[in-house]
Structures are given as structure tokens and as C-alpha cells.
């Protein structure tokens, strides 16, 4: 009941909000025009674009009224000095001329594609168009000035001078307004501690850039006249560094400090030389904004691609883990089937087969049972299910190699392998089986040694695998005699004899690499894998230095 009454009162007195907006804008306009009257650029234009970009459309008439009152009061006070025509034209609020332009860019040109995005190209077009519009209007108004002493002589280049003034002011203010608009609306959070600020790379780089601007500004005042242009040129380097490392928003901060420093160093006056400096400065800052926006877009696209790649890898890892689970279930089911067949076959033998013929039938059954058991072991070894991955690497691979006369030794971290993810354990085992099958296929192979090492890097677990195959040419004849048995090693281990490139692709799934290479004693397979999560990947991406690589 009370809320409905308050809402009704609010609806009946909404005009008070318009009055408040008009009064607030008029006060802000007076403060800006009075405080910054001696500034080199017209910062009142920055106030106009800030209000038009932030204030809803329904309050725009209040903005016109808020600017009309102080502007008309000042202009009409100089009717006797500059003429009635000038006073009337100068009393037209420039914010009213900018409203159609801002509305078109906001509604038709899609200046803000999303609440958290801004089209920098459209923003620069808007700034240029507003500067041209206000410069043309200002030139027309100046041409109507009529002094008491006679016709006013219009200075040469007044239109370009007005354009540069408006453009520099908008270039300095508009990006900050846009940042304030697209900044996410979050609940108020406590200010970060000094330790957090010191460890934040962006804050640290901003502080360093600000210190460099202060040092360069002081240095410009004490060096010789011949060196001052070089010092002024160096002022752009901190802004460029911020842009390269942190993108467009840091570029806005660096460009603002650069403009402030140059304002303090250059004596602004209506002079062609000063106008050239302003033109070069405007071109440089515009190029810096475009470069920063492009770099921010590439950073955003890289983050999106990195996120999508991480999601794809997570899906592939889950598929590997689920595939191993299905293989484990299949292997267990086969072992259960072997047990059931054994019991059924024993009953059938006792009931229907004469005792004299049982030995022949028993031998055939045991052969079938052994084949099924080997199939179950090749699908998923029982040692892995019962005693872990280290046992599978030690026993399953070792038994398959020793049966064909190849010595085998294994050095693993033991129980520490249990802390790896299921997908990483599966890839480790399958890679070791592929490498063992590839090495054993050579008739000259006489021994295989496997070594595993584990650790953590930036919180992410990693594991390194190294398998050495010892080749002896003098033993090749013995290997040829066992060629058929060695061909069965791959089937016993469930290996498909993958190529080097296929193993490398599998390793890249875990942010690593794998390869075969020849050594003095034979052949070596190495693999380095890391189980990086999304949090670890984002931290590593933030810690990566800026690299300007090209091809």
C-alpha cells in the first residue's frame, strides 16, 4: 500500500527530476567553463558529450534548458560589444546541435553493440563529426560579430583552430565517458589492499607510467632547447607501453597523461606553429586509440579462442576418461564371463563327458579361457584396477615384453601417480604401451627401460615419461626367430602402433609434447604432459609476457 502511494506521488512529480537535471547540468557547465576558462581546449564540449552518452533521452530537453540559461545570460550581456545577431546565435546551446548526431550513433550506427562493448571506430567518427559541426557553427557565429569600431576581422584559420580545440577536448574526455558507461555494474566492494594493488600488474604498470610522465615533464623544463622536442616525443612511449601490455583502457589512461603533460609544457596560443603541434598530437593520439582498440580486440579474441580450446580439451579428456571406464567395465565383464563359463563347463564335463576324454576337452577349454583372459588384460589390465597405474606399468608391460625375450625395467614414483587425473593416467598408460609395442617390433631390441617423474608447476601437476629401447644388431637373428611372437605384443598391450604425429596430437591435449628419437644405444620415446585446469590456464595467460612475433 505504501509503495503504491509512493509510486503514485513519484509519477505525479516526475517534472522535479527534469528540473534537477537542468539545474545540475547548469551548475556543472558553469563550473567547467569558469574553472577551465584558460585551458587550451574547450572542455565544455567534453561535458556535453558525457551527458549525451550517459543521460537517458527523456532528460535531454532538461540538458538543453540547463545550458541555455547560463549561455544566454553570458551572451546577451555582450550585445553592445559584439552585436545582437552574434548574441542570439551564440545563445543557441551547442548541445542541441549534437543531439541528432549522438542519437544516430547510439541508435542507428550501433555505437554500443552490447552493454559492455563499444565500437571505437564509430566513436572516433562521432567525435570527428561533432568537432566539424561545432567548428562550422562557431565559424558562422564569429562571422556575425560586429564591433563598435566596425566590422570584425576574422582571424585566418579560425575554422581549423576551432576544430582542433573541440577534437582534442572530445578525444580526452569521451573515452573516459565510454569506459564509465560500459563498465560492469557490480555491487560495491571494499577498496583493495596495498598488497593487492602492488601485485596487480596493471596497477603497477600504470603507476610506473605516471612516474615516467612526471619525470619526463620535469626533465623537459631543465634540458636545452635542442633536446626538448626529443623529450616531448618520448612522452608517447609510456602510453604505447601501456597499450601494448593492457589494451585500450590502459591506452586511454596513458594518452590522458600524455595530453596533460603536453598541456603543461607547451604554451598554447593562436599561432600556426602551435596548431601544427595540436594536429600532430591529435593524429598520434587517434592512432594510439585505434591501435589500442585493435589490440584489445585481438586480446579478447585470443581469450575466447583459449576458452573454447580449453573447453574442447576438457571434453576430450572426459571422453578419454569415460572411454577408459568403459574398457575397464568390459574387461571386468569378460573376466566374469570366464568364471561363469568355467563353472558351467565343469558341470557339463562331469555330467556328459566320459572321464577318458575329459583331458582333451579340458585342454581346449583352458586355451579358450586363456585367450579371453588375455583379451580382458589387453582391454584394461587387472593390475591397474587392483594396485594402480604403477603396477600396470611394471607388471603388464613387463610381462608382455619378457615373454618375447626382451628385458624390462621400470622406475616410477609409485603412489604419487594416483593423484593424477583419470584421463592423464589413461594417456600415460596408452603412450607407454604404444612406445613399448613400437620398440619391441624391432628384431634388434633386447631391452626396454621406463622412467616416470612427476611434479607441479604453478599449481598444475605435470608428468614426464621416458622410455629407452636398447637395440643390439648382433641379436637381430634371435629377434627374427621371435618375429611372430613380437607382433603379438601390441595386441597384448591393446596398442594400435600410433605414429609419432598421432602421439604428439594426443600429448597436446594435455599441453605437452611427445616424440621418438634415436640415441647412441637405440631409440628413445619422451613425453611431457600437464593437467592444466581453467584457473591454471588463465593464470599462465596473465603471466605470459608480451611478444611481438611476426611471420
Amino acid at each position: 500500500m505504501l509503495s503504491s502511494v509512493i509510486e503514485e506521488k513519484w509519477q505525479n512529480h516526475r517534472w522535479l527530476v527534469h528540473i534537477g537535471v537542468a539545474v545540475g547540468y547548469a551548475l556543472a557547465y558553469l563550473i567547467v567553463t569558469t574553472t577551465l576558462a584558460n585551458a587550451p581546449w574547450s572542455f565544455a564540449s567534453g561535458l556535453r558529450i558525457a551527458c549525451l552518452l550517459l543521460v537517458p533521452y527523456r532528460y535531454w530537453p532538461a540538458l538543453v534548458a540547463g545550458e541555455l540559461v547560463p549561455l544566454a545570460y553570458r551572451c546577451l550581456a555582450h550585445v553592445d560589444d559584439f552585436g545582437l545577431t552574434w548574441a542570439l546565435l551564440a545563445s543557441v546551446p551547442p548541445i542541441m546541435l549534437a543531439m541528432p548526431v549522438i542519437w544516430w550513433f547510439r541508435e542507428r550506427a550501433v555505437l554500443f553493440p552490447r552493454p559492455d562493448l563499444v565500437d571505437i571506430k564509430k566513436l572516433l567518427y562521432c567525435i570527428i563529426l561533432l568537432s566539424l559541426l561545432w567548428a562550422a557553427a562557431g565559424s558562422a557565429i564569429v562571422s556575425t560579430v560586429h564591433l563598435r569600431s566596425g566590422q570584425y576581422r576574422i582571424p585566418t584559420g579560425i575554422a581549423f583552430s576551432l576544430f582542433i580545440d573541440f577534437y582534442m577536448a572530445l578525444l580526452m574526455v569521451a573515452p573516459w565517458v565510454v569506459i564509465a558507461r560500459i563498465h560492469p555494474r557490480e555491487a560495491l566492494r571494499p577498496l583493495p589492499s596495498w598488497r593487492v594493488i602492488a601485485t596487480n600488474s596493471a596497477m603497477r604498470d600504470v603507476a610506473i607510467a605516471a612516474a615516467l610522465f612526471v619525470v619526463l615533464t620535469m626533465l623537459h623544463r631543465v634540458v636545452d632547447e635542442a633536446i626538448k622536442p626529443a623529450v616531448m616525443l618520448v612522452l608517447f612511449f609510456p602510453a604505447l607501453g601501456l597499450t601494448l601490455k593492457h589494451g585500450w583502457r590502459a591506452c586511454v589512461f596513458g594518452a590522458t597523461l600524455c595530453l596533460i603533460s603536453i598541456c603543461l609544457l607547451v604554451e598554447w596560443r593562436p599561432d600556426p606553429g602551435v596548431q601544427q603541434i595540436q594536429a600532430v598530437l591529435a593524429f598520434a593520439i587517434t592512432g594510439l586509440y585505434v591501435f589500442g582498440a585493435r589490440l584489445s580486440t585481438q586480446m579478447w579474441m585470443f581469450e575466447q579462442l583459449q576458452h573454447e580450446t580449453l573447453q574442447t580439451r576438457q571434453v576430450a579428456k572426459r571422453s578419454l576418461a569415460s572411454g577408459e571406464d568403459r574398457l575397464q567395465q568390459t574387461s571386468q565383464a569378460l573376466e566374469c564371463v570366464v568364471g561363469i563359463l568355467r563353472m558351467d563347463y565343469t558341470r557339463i564335463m562331469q555330467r556328459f563327458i566320459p572321464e577318458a576324454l575329459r583331458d582333451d576337452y579340458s585342454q581346449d577349454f583352458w586355451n579358450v579361457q586363456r585367450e579371453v583372459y588375455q583379451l580382458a588384460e589387453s582391454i584394461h589390465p587387472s593390475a591397474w584396477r587392483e594396485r594402480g597405474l604403477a603396477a600396470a606399468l611394471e607388471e603388464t608391460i613387463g610381462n608382455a615384453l619378457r615373454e618375447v625375450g626382451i628385458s624390462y625395467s621400470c622406475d616410477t614414483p609409485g603412489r604419487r601417480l594416483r593423484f593424477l587425473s583419470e584421463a592423464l593416467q589413461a594417456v600415460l598408460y596408452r603412450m607407454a604401451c604404444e612406445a613399448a609395442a613400437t620398440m619391441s617390433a624391432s628384431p634388434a631390441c633386447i631391452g626396454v627401460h621406463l622412467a616416470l617423474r612427476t611434479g607441479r608447476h604453478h599449481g598444475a601437476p605435470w608428468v614426464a615419461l621416458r622410455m629407452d629401447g636398447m637395440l643390439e644388431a648382433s641379436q637381430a637373428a634371435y629377434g627374427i626367430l621371435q618375429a611372430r611372437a613380437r607382433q603379438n605384443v601390441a595386441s597384448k598391450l591393446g596398442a594400435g602402433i600410433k605414429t609419432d604425429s598421432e602421439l604428439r596430437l594426443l600429448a597436446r591435449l594435455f599441453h605437452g609434447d611427445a616424440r621418438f628419437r634415436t640415441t647412441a644405444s637405440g631409440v628413445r620415446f619422451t613425453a611431457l604432459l600437464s593437467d592444466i585446469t581453467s584457473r591454471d590456464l588463465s593464470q599462465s595467460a596473465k603471466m605470459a609476457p608480451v611478444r611481438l612475433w611476426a611471420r
Side-chain angles (χ1 to χ4, degrees):
M1 182 65 180
L2 181 60
S3 60
S4 62
V5 173
I6 294 176
E7 184 176 358
E8 183 179 358
K9 293 289 187 181
W10 171 257
Q11 294 292 338
N12 295 333
H13 297 84
R14 295 182 69 177
W15 55 273
L16 292 175
V17 180
H18 292 267
I19 294 177
V21 171
V23 173
Y25 178 76
L27 292 175
Y29 180 83
L30 289 173
I31 292 173
V32 169
T33 54
T34 303
T35 307
L36 303 176
N38 297 324
W41 305 306
S42 175
F43 284 100
S45 59
L47 176 64
R48 297 184 189 110
I49 195 173
C51 293
L52 293 178
L53 288 176
L54 298 177
V55 175
Y57 297 133
R58 61 180 178 272
Y59 298 123
W60 279 16
L63 297 177
V64 175
E67 184 168 337
L68 176 62
V69 174
L71 189 62
Y73 176 78
R74 286 185 176 181
C75 293
L76 293 176
H78 296 279
V79 171
D80 297 334
D81 298 327
F82 304 115
L84 180 60
T85 305
W86 174 88
L88 293 177
L89 291 178
S91 299
V92 177
I95 195 172
M96 188 171 62
L97 302 177
M99 284 180 178
V101 177
I102 299 295
W103 177 87
W104 189 85
F105 274 97
R106 286 178 60 174
E107 298 297 329
R108 294 291 184 264
V110 195
L111 180 61
F112 300 99
R114 286 196 335 222
D116 59 337
L117 290 179
V118 60
D119 191 337
I120 298 299
K121 182 173 64 175
K122 303 288 180 54
L123 178 64
L124 292 176
Y125 287 160
C126 180
I127 291 174
I128 293 173
L129 189 57
L130 287 177
S131 302
L132 288 173
L133 180 62
W134 285 336
S139 301
I141 293 172
V142 170
S143 64
T144 62
V145 173
H146 186 77
L147 301 176
R148 294 179 180 178
S149 58
Q151 188 68 28
Y152 176 68
R153 183 176 179 275
I154 300 175
T156 305
I158 184 64
F160 180 75
S161 178
L162 290 174
F163 170 77
I164 286 294
D165 289 345
F166 288 125
Y167 184 73
M168 294 299 294
L170 295 179
L171 205 62
M172 190 172 183
V173 176
W176 289 105
V177 178
V178 169
I179 290 176
R181 179 187 171 98
I182 66 176
H183 190 73
R185 280 23 174 204
E186 298 177 352
L188 292 177
R189 293 179 295 180
L191 293 176
S193 62
W194 287 107
R195 178 175 297 179
V196 174
I197 295 176
T199 55
N200 190 324
S201 61
M203 298 296 293
R204 183 174 62 249
D205 294 337
V206 164
I208 293 174
L212 287 176
F213 278 117
V214 173
V215 171
L216 290 173
T217 303
M218 297 175 62
L219 183 63
H220 185 275
R221 295 182 180 277
V222 298
V223 297
D224 296 334
E225 291 293 333
I227 306 177
K228 286 185 177 181
V231 176
M232 190 173 297
L233 181 63
V234 175
L235 283 172
F236 287 95
F237 289 174
L240 182 61
L242 288 176
T243 305
L244 283 173
K245 195 166 185 180
H246 301 288
W248 179 70
R249 300 196 180 198
C251 166
V252 173
F253 179 81
T256 303
L257 289 182
C258 184
L259 290 174
I260 293 174
S261 299
I262 293 177
C263 285
L264 297 175
L265 298 178
V266 177
E267 183 181 355
W268 303 103
R269 59 185 183 273
D271 181 78
V274 175
Q275 290 181 359
Q276 291 179 2
I277 294 176
Q278 288 184 343
V280 173
L281 186 61
F283 178 78
I285 298 299
T286 303
L288 199 61
Y289 283 164
V290 173
F291 178 66
R294 181 63 177 172
L295 196 62
S296 294
T297 302
Q298 291 180 348
M299 288 179 178
W300 179 76
M301 293 174 64
F302 175 73
E303 290 176 359
Q304 291 294 111
L305 180 61
Q306 198 175 45
H307 180 67
E308 293 174 0
T309 304
L310 179 62
Q311 287 183 332
T312 304
R313 283 178 171 173
Q314 295 296 338
V315 171
K317 289 178 183 180
R318 286 194 293 268
S319 300
L320 282 174
S322 61
E324 284 296 327
D325 291 339
R326 286 192 294 269
L327 291 176
Q328 179 179 351
Q329 294 171 4
T330 304
S331 177
Q332 290 176 335
L334 285 175
E335 291 181 356
C336 293
V337 169
V338 170
I340 295 173
L341 287 176
R342 184 189 302 115
M343 292 186 293
D344 292 343
Y345 191 82
T346 302
R347 295 193 189 102
I348 292 174
M349 292 275 290
Q350 293 175 352
R351 183 172 299 180
F352 300 105
I353 304 299
E355 187 173 354
L357 302 176
R358 288 181 183 176
D359 291 340
D360 296 334
Y361 283 97
S362 297
Q363 185 64 33
D364 294 337
F365 171 74
W366 291 119
N367 290 335
V368 173
Q369 181 180 353
R370 185 175 64 255
E371 292 292 334
V372 175
Y373 180 76
Q374 289 179 354
L375 177 62
E377 283 292 306
S378 65
I379 293 175
H380 196 277
S382 58
W384 190 356
R385 298 193 300 270
E386 296 170 0
R387 296 181 297 280
L389 178 61
L393 295 173
E394 176 76 31
E395 300 173 12
T396 305
I397 298 178
N399 294 337
L401 294 177
R402 294 185 187 104
E403 287 178 1
V404 295
I406 298 176
S407 62
Y408 178 75
S409 60
C410 183
D411 181 14
T412 65
R415 293 185 177 181
R416 280 184 290 177
L417 296 177
R418 295 178 180 268
F419 298 102
L420 301 177
S421 65
E422 295 181 2
L424 185 55
Q425 291 187 42
V427 170
L428 270 177
Y429 178 75
R430 298 303 172 187
M431 278 190 170
C433 291
E434 293 289 343
T438 302
M439 294 176 183
S440 64
S442 174
C445 183
I446 60 173
V448 173
H449 174 72
L450 173 66
L452 283 177
R453 294 293 181 268
T454 61
R456 302 186 75 85
H457 180 68
H458 293 300
W462 61 265
V463 58
L465 182 150
R466 188 189 70 190
M467 181 175 284
D468 292 306
M470 280 70 76
L471 304 182
E472 184 66 42
S474 60
Q475 301 294 324
Y478 176 77
I480 293 174
L481 294 176
Q482 289 191 329
R484 178 169 297 181
R486 293 195 176 193
Q487 289 177 356
N488 295 330
V489 171
S491 60
K492 290 179 180 179
L493 296 178
I497 310 297
K498 290 184 172 60
T499 62
D500 194 3
S501 60
E502 290 175 337
L503 291 175
R504 183 167 295 178
L505 288 176
L506 189 61
R508 287 179 181 175
L509 187 62
F510 290 86
H511 309 277
D513 197 6
R515 63 169 182 166
F516 282 96
R517 65 185 182 93
T518 57
T519 60
S521 60
V523 63
R524 171 175 293 177
F525 173 76
T526 56
L528 180 63
L529 309 174
S530 179
D531 200 5
I532 298 179
T533 62
S534 59
R535 178 178 58 84
D536 299 327
L537 186 62
S538 62
Q539 290 179 354
S540 63
K542 290 179 181 178
M543 290 182 290
V546 176
R547 297 184 177 97
L548 295 179
W549 292 354
R551 175 176 293 179

